[in-house]
Amino acid sequence: MFEKAFPGEAEPVTAENWSKAIGAYERVLLTPAPFDRYLGGDTSALSPQAKQGLDKFMSVGCAGCHSGVTVGGQMYQKFGLTQDYWTLTGSVEIDLFKGRDKGRFQDTKSDADAFIFKVQQLRNVA
């Protein structure tokens, strides 16, 4: 399928093309949802429980990173921004750079990018 999507490329299966393919796919995931109706002004579109969850989401600052039409996926952040990475993942901190996904460090080799990941989009997570 990569050959069809990226014609004329000698090696169509590359990290750059994966990124382009995933981005193209994610852009078609914008399905109408009660949340969209709520954002459009229909205050009855969300249940009281959903409104409570949205209030919590907003009050603890989740929208700072999980924002935009896809509710995330727009930036990179250090994993463990609100909770300790090692506690959250149940990992044992023996050697920071041995056997773990190191995020952007894998690509940049910069220590500043260790455990920096793309913020996951929350659109269509259900």
Side-chain angles (χ1 to χ4, degrees), residues 62 65-67 71-77 117-122:
C62 298
C65 298
H66 296 279
S67 59
V71 196
Q74 312 299 315
M75 65 176 74
Y76 291 90
Q77 286 289 351
F117 294 89
K118 187 174 186 181
V119 173
Q120 181 61 42
Q121 73 175 26
L122 301 179

Side-chain angles (χ1 to χ4, degrees), residues 53-64:
L54 179 58
D55 287 342
K56 181 71 167 184
F57 183 85
M58 300 298 286
S59 70
V60 299
C62 298

Side-chain angles (χ1 to χ4, degrees), residues 4 14-15 17 19-21 26 30 36 38-39 46 51 56 74-75 86 88-89 101 103 111 120:
K4 184 177 178 182
T14 65
N17 286 348
S19 177
K20 289 177 183 177
E26 287 176 349
L30 304 179
D36 297 302
Y38 180 80
L39 291 177
L46 295 182
K51 287 178 185 175
K56 181 71 167 184
Q74 312 299 315
M75 65 176 74
W86 307 108
L88 188 63
T89 61
D101 185 345
D111 288 343
Q120 181 61 42

